[in-house]
Structure formats: C-alpha cells, structure tokens
Amino acid sequence: MTSFNGVVHIDTDCGVDDALALAVLGQVAKVASVSTTWGNCSALQAAANARYILQRTKAAQIEVTPAYDDPPTSWAPSHVHGPDGMGGVFHLSPAERSRNGDTAVSAIVRFAERAGKGGRLLAIAPLTNVAAAYRAAPEALHSLDRIVVMASQGLTPRSAWLDETGDTNTRHNPSATAEIAASPLPVTWVGIDVTRHVLLSADAFGESEFGKTLRVLSKRYGASRAPSYGYAADGPGWRVPAHDTVAVTVLLGEGDATTAEALAVVDRSSGTPVLR
C-alpha cells in the first residue's frame, strides 16, 4: 500500500475516524510512537482509546503519550463521537497520568530528533501538541520528511454545511493551526473539502471480529453525520466519511492534497474558524 519505508509518529484526539486511521496505519507502516491531545475527547481518554486500538491490531508495543494541559473551559467532548470518543462502544476508562514526566510534546520532539528525514508526522487532531513541539524544537520538526495535517477547507466558499460541520481541528485551536500554517515546516494539508467526498460503506470493514466492531462504531458515527453530509443514515446505503484515513493515504504517498503555500489565513468571518 505504501512507497514510504520510514517511521511514523501519530498525534491524535482518538475519536471514531481516528480509530480507523490508527487501525489501518498500525498494520501497513512502522509506527514509532503516538501522542494524544484533547479534541474529540480528553487527551487521557484519547490515550486509552489509542492504546485499545493498537492492542487490537497487534501493535500494543507502540508507546502512547498523552498531553496533560487542560482544554479551555469552553471545550466539551464532541457529541458525534460520544463522551468517550468511541461512541460508548468500548466503555474505556481514561488513561492514567504518566509518572515518568514524559509529555506528548516531548514525545513528538524526541521522534523528530531521532527520525529526521526518515520520519513522517501524522496530525489528525487539533494542532496543540504540534505547535508546542515546534516552539520547543523548530529545527527537529523541520528535519522531518513530511508532516501531514488533517485540517483546512482549501479555497471552497463558505457554506451552511461548512459552518455546521466545519474544520473541526482548526476550530478547537485556531491559533495553533495558524502558527503551523505560517511556519516553514514541510506540511501537507488534507482538507475536509477533500475528505468529505470519501465515504466508506459496510463492506469496507471486512469480516474479522475487530472489523465488525469498527463497522458498528463507524455506523453510529456515520449516522450522526448523515443529515449534513447527505447520505443514508441506515439500511444498505449507509456511509461514513473517512476523514483521517484519507490523511493516512496521503502520509504514505498514495495521494496528495493542498500544500501549505496556498493556506495562510484562519477565516473567522462566521464565528467558526476555518483554515484556508
């Protein structure tokens, strides 16, 4: 599936579409490490979710390091991902805080310093951790071969759909997104204007026990998005958007998306921040 033979670090707020991306990437690439932040759920909940997915894909040895900074008081877990980011399917308790003092930011910096041009970073979460890592060690992050970010709306005109569903990762932390967009880092942006058109159906998940579990999880998420995306919520025609899995294909060199040169402004004109 991939022409990339290096190592990967994933920064995630492990919700439903993140889980599918982790499951795919954990089986087809050399994932060195994972960090988590708040977004779809809390950073500690995201860490528990990511560890569970990696265990189910026989990649339990991969280290998962959560962020410990608190989200703003205005933040709340996304209703489309449920209170635990996984739609309540797995009933996982949040991870415990690390006792060794390691943080998500230090995990990203350590990965970049070790991997250099042999490493790629996949950011499928608000860019809180990535921006902090860039401030801490800009040269290390710049040395990476590629950074793929699931965020932005390209140059597509604003619409009722965009204002409702929007550029979620930018909306959670627009200043972090703007910081990375203005940086010289080797970033490829995978916009929601691209990923919204990639819809998975029931047969995309296979017939393994874990595939069936992911199908149930994804169907619930897809049903919650159906009214705004315009596809069937149930029955044989149900679909689910493959946002973060599209970013995985770009990371592995199997596709492309808008590059950083075309994106520089966080548009707040409707009150819903979107990177363009």
Side-chain angles (χ1 to χ4, degrees), residues 104-127:
V105 172
S106 63
I108 294 172
V109 171
R110 182 169 59 248
F111 167 78
E113 290 175 340
R114 292 175 177 176
K117 286 297 181 183
R120 292 182 178 179
L121 169 61
L122 176 67
I124 49 176
L127 291 173

Side-chain angles (χ1 to χ4, degrees), residues 67-143:
Y68 300 121
D69 55 322
D70 294 324
T73 55
S74 59
W75 173 82
S78 170
H79 70 280
V80 300
H81 294 270
D84 62 352
M86 292 291 182
V89 172
F90 300 136
H91 305 290
L92 302 174
S93 299
E96 295 182 357
R97 290 177 177 267
S98 172
R99 296 181 179 180
N100 64 10
D102 203 9
T103 68
V105 172
S106 63
I108 294 172
V109 171
R110 182 169 59 248
F111 167 78
E113 290 175 340
R114 292 175 177 176
K117 286 297 181 183
R120 292 182 178 179
L121 169 61
L122 176 67
I124 49 176
L127 291 173
T128 308
N129 290 337
V130 177
Y134 175 60
R135 290 191 295 272
E139 292 184 2
L141 266 68
H142 196 272
S143 72

